Amino acid sequence: VLETTDVTKTYKTGNFDLTVLKGITLQIHAGEFIAIMGPSGSGKSTYMNILGCLDRPTTGKYYLEGDDVSRLSDDRLAEVRNRKFGFVFQSFNLLPRTTALRQVELPMLYAGASNREERAKWALNRVGLSDRMDHKPNQLSGGQQQRVSIARSLVNDPVIVFADEPTGALDTRTSFEIMDIFQELNAEGKTVIMVTHENDIARHATRIIRFRDGEIVEDGPVLDR
Amino acid sequence: VLETTDVTKTYKTGNFDLTVLKGITLQIHAGEFIAIMGPSGSGKSTYMNILGCLDRPTTGKYYLEGDDVSRLSDDRLAEVRNRKFGFVFQSFNLLPRTTALRQVELPMLYAGASNREERAKWALNRVGLSDRMDHKPNQLSGGQQQRVSIARSLVNDPVIVFADEPTGALDTRTSFEIMDIFQELNAEGKTVIMVTHENDIARHATRIIRFRDGEIVEDGPVLDR
Ligand SMILES: Nc1ncnc2c1ncn2[C@@H]1O[C@H](COP(=O)(O)OP(=O)(O)OP(=O)(O)O)[C@@H](O)[C@H]1O
Ligand SMILES: Nc1ncnc2c1ncn2[C@@H]1O[C@H](COP(=O)(O)OP(=O)(O)OP(=O)(O)O)[C@@H](O)[C@H]1O
Ligand SMILES: [Mg+2]
Ligand SMILES: [Mg+2]
């Protein structure tokens, strides 16, 4: 389980402090499929990055499977991220001169996994990109780049997938195909934490949490999926 | 008016040629608000880039206000882009270590315009970013970066705005505010050519053109806007 207690995040910008998260207290249990929604600038990515151990809160506590994250060493944190988490970043974060196949192999390289090429091909096929494996990012459409990012998040068989706007660049049909993948992962017991602006997409989750101005204003189950 | 006659685009990738546009013949008249839709990878951005003189077709003709674009010098093309066109790129294309205010001032610098700071502030205010002018891209949310890109497309008072997925990173309310801006521009006589995956967004246009596998499969007015 992931639990944050009164997490705040403040950025220092020039003359003043900008408090972006204003006391987030939340529990996410294993096996949930969470959709985080809210206006642009409301703190979703900031909070997601904290949950994914890519950033630290300014104040407050974050417990990951009972461990206080602030007490974990950087090595331990990197290990958790590499072995347990899969990330789909809002900006995709692909390497500029790297083929789709290599992009997807990369997390496995860090994790020392075997069968890297086979698994990368499987993941790319799963997101409909079998015919684009040798393309570099500047040879891929926007939606194709996004899907490479999604494939990359899947290959280490993560316990938790963090997906920040995973369908923003996708047409409706491809978006729903990606949601099928996430629902399959969730049916296998994996936890999926997704940020989305699209109601149709959020409805694939089991629980919706709404942010506004750095606070949670709504938290409840998805009805009528 | 913009007119393409049997435009194709072929990329050479390793062992074979990938034909992405397979003969696009299309007229776009001044004052139209076009929404281009279609599945991921169907050639929308490729075609948009040709219309915006950022790329050239492999074969076929492109007439811009009666002039054969292939006969225009590079200087002339750059002048047309800088003075007449505004671009919202699918990947935003912001400069990494540059404030929002500077990003938006930049096209005016190239065009030799006056009152750059004032106009940039106006454009940023118009997209709801008055309070983020001094933020660099890594200090902006995804949707805020997109809006900086939109503000930048407006400041040279373009005759034609090319907007490639301008609302993909925006929440619904902010998306509709951006559509209000584009409708205002259109009401002033400007031409807007937008790629979008979202039906709600496309309905703000006056005409929808659908791509599939590099061809136009549908072209008609928006009814019941
Ligand atoms: N430089 C390139 N080299 C090789 N193939 C390319 C190149 N640029 C694009 N492609 C391919 O051309 C096709 C069309 O790309 P394009 O970016 O026009 O699609 P799109 O319709 O904008 O898709 P999306 O909705 O995902 O943004 C894609 O299949 C892509 O892989
Ligand atoms: N490094 C930073 N320095 C200063 N301000 C920042 C920084 N990162 C984010 N912000 C600000 O914090 C706020 C929250 O950003 P965040 O990326 O969490 O928003 P978001 O909810 O993901 O929005 P979007 O839907 O547009 O992606 C924004 O107003 C943004 O300008
Ligand atoms: Mg975000
Ligand atoms: Mg595109």
Side-chain angles (χ1 to χ4, degrees):
Chain A
V1 71
L2 320 177
E3 178 171 10
T4 62
T5 306
D6 212 14
V7 154
T8 70
K9 182 73 184 178
T10 298
Y11 293 108
K12 296 180 180 303
T13 56
N15 304 326
F16 63 94
D17 294 351
L18 181 67
T19 296
V20 169
L21 296 178
K22 302 176 181 172
I24 302 295
T25 295
L26 188 65
Q27 278 191 353
I28 294 177
H29 297 100
E32 285 195 285
F33 185 165
I34 305 277
I36 297 179
M37 303 185 79
S40 175
S42 56
K44 303 179 301 294
S45 294
T46 300
Y47 186 64
M48 180 86 105
N49 286 341
I50 289 169
L51 286 184
C53 303
L54 296 164
D55 197 4
R56 291 178 187 275
T58 306
T59 64
K61 292 288 180 187
Y62 177 21
Y63 294 90
L64 180 61
E65 297 178 335
D67 291 327
D68 179 349
V69 166
S70 65
R71 291 178 184 278
L72 299 181
S73 66
D74 285 352
D75 283 351
R76 176 64 181 147
L77 277 177
E79 182 183 353
V80 167
R81 284 197 309 268
N82 291 339
R83 288 181 183 274
K84 293 190 170 199
F85 293 173
F87 293 94
V88 184
F89 295 98
Q90 197 170 7
S91 53
F92 316 154
N93 286 22
L94 301 183
L95 298 176
R97 286 177 296 278
T98 307
T99 65
L101 186 63
R102 278 288 179 199
Q103 310 266 9
V104 179
E105 284 183 344
L106 214 59
M108 293 182 282
L109 205 67
Y110 294 129
S114 57
N115 295 333
R116 289 191 292 270
E117 183 168 332
E118 180 185 334
R119 286 164 68 184
K121 286 183 175 177
W122 169 85
L124 284 166
N125 176 62
R126 192 73 188 78
V127 299
L129 288 178
S130 299
D131 59 346
R132 291 288 185 280
M133 292 193 209
D134 296 325
H135 286 224
K136 298 171 186 173
N138 66 346
Q139 298 169 321
L140 293 168
S141 78
Q144 288 165 345
Q145 291 177 45
Q146 190 161 53
R147 283 180 275 157
V148 170
S149 179
I150 292 165
R152 185 184 57 188
S153 79
L154 303 177
V155 289
N156 269 348
D157 197 27
V159 173
I160 303 175
V161 175
F162 297 89
D164 198 344
E165 304 270 11
T167 59
L170 304 181
D171 58 275
T172 303
R173 177 168 152 230
T174 311
S175 295
F176 282 7
E177 288 170 358
I178 297 304
M179 285 302 100
D180 286 347
I181 295 171
F182 286 172
Q183 284 184 326
E184 284 172 21
L185 292 176
N186 185 237
E188 293 167 9
K190 297 176 191 310
T191 305
V192 180
I193 302 172
M194 170 176 76
V195 170
T196 182
H197 283 299
E198 302 168 75
N199 284 315
D200 289 354
I201 295 302
R203 300 196 60 76
H204 288 82
T206 55
R207 177 181 170 195
I208 291 183
I209 297 170
R210 288 189 191 276
F211 275 60
R212 178 177 300 278
D213 297 328
E215 293 176 314
I216 289 178
V217 296
E218 220 181 288
D219 183 353
V222 175
L223 309 171
D224 301 330
R225 305 171 68 221
Chain B
V1 73
L2 319 178
E3 178 171 11
T4 63
T5 306
D6 212 14
V7 153
T8 71
K9 182 71 183 180
T10 298
Y11 294 107
K12 296 183 180 302
T13 57
N15 303 329
F16 61 95
D17 293 352
L18 183 65
T19 296
V20 168
L21 296 179
K22 300 174 180 174
I24 302 294
T25 295
L26 189 64
Q27 277 190 356
I28 295 176
H29 299 101
E32 285 195 285
F33 186 164
I34 307 278
I36 297 179
M37 302 187 80
S40 174
S42 55
K44 303 178 303 291
S45 294
T46 300
Y47 187 62
M48 180 87 106
N49 286 338
I50 289 170
L51 287 184
C53 302
L54 297 164
D55 197 5
R56 291 178 187 273
T58 306
T59 66
K61 291 287 178 189
Y62 176 23
Y63 294 92
L64 181 59
E65 297 179 338
D67 291 327
D68 180 352
V69 165
S70 69
R71 291 177 182 279
L72 299 181
S73 66
D74 285 350
D75 283 351
R76 174 67 180 146
L77 276 177
E79 182 184 351
V80 168
R81 281 196 310 268
N82 291 338
R83 289 182 182 273
K84 294 191 167 196
F85 294 172
F87 293 94
V88 184
F89 296 97
Q90 196 170 8
S91 55
F92 316 154
N93 285 21
L94 301 184
L95 298 178
R97 285 177 296 281
T98 307
T99 65
L101 185 64
R102 279 284 178 204
Q103 308 267 8
V104 179
E105 285 186 342
L106 213 57
M108 292 183 280
L109 203 66
Y110 294 129
S114 56
N115 296 333
R116 289 192 293 270
E117 185 170 332
E118 180 184 333
R119 285 162 70 183
K121 284 180 175 176
W122 169 85
L124 284 166
N125 175 64
R126 193 72 187 78
V127 299
L129 288 178
S130 299
D131 58 347
R132 291 288 187 277
M133 290 193 213
D134 296 324
H135 285 224
K136 298 171 183 169
N138 65 345
Q139 299 169 319
L140 294 169
S141 77
Q144 289 167 342
Q145 290 178 45
Q146 189 161 50
R147 282 181 276 156
V148 170
S149 178
I150 290 164
R152 185 183 61 188
S153 78
L154 304 178
V155 287
N156 269 348
D157 196 28
V159 172
I160 302 175
V161 175
F162 297 89
D164 199 345
E165 303 271 10
T167 60
L170 305 181
D171 58 275
T172 303
R173 176 167 153 236
T174 310
S175 296
F176 282 7
E177 288 173 355
I178 296 305
M179 286 302 99
D180 285 347
I181 294 172
F182 286 172
Q183 283 184 326
E184 284 175 19
L185 292 176
N186 187 235
E188 294 170 6
K190 298 177 191 308
T191 305
V192 180
I193 301 173
M194 169 178 75
V195 171
T196 182
H197 284 298
E198 301 169 73
N199 285 313
D200 288 356
I201 294 301
R203 299 196 63 74
H204 288 81
T206 55
R207 178 182 170 192
I208 291 183
I209 297 170
R210 286 188 193 276
F211 275 59
R212 177 176 299 277
D213 296 326
E215 293 178 313
I216 290 178
V217 296
E218 221 182 286
D219 182 352
V222 175
L223 308 173
D224 301 331
R225 345 178 23 234

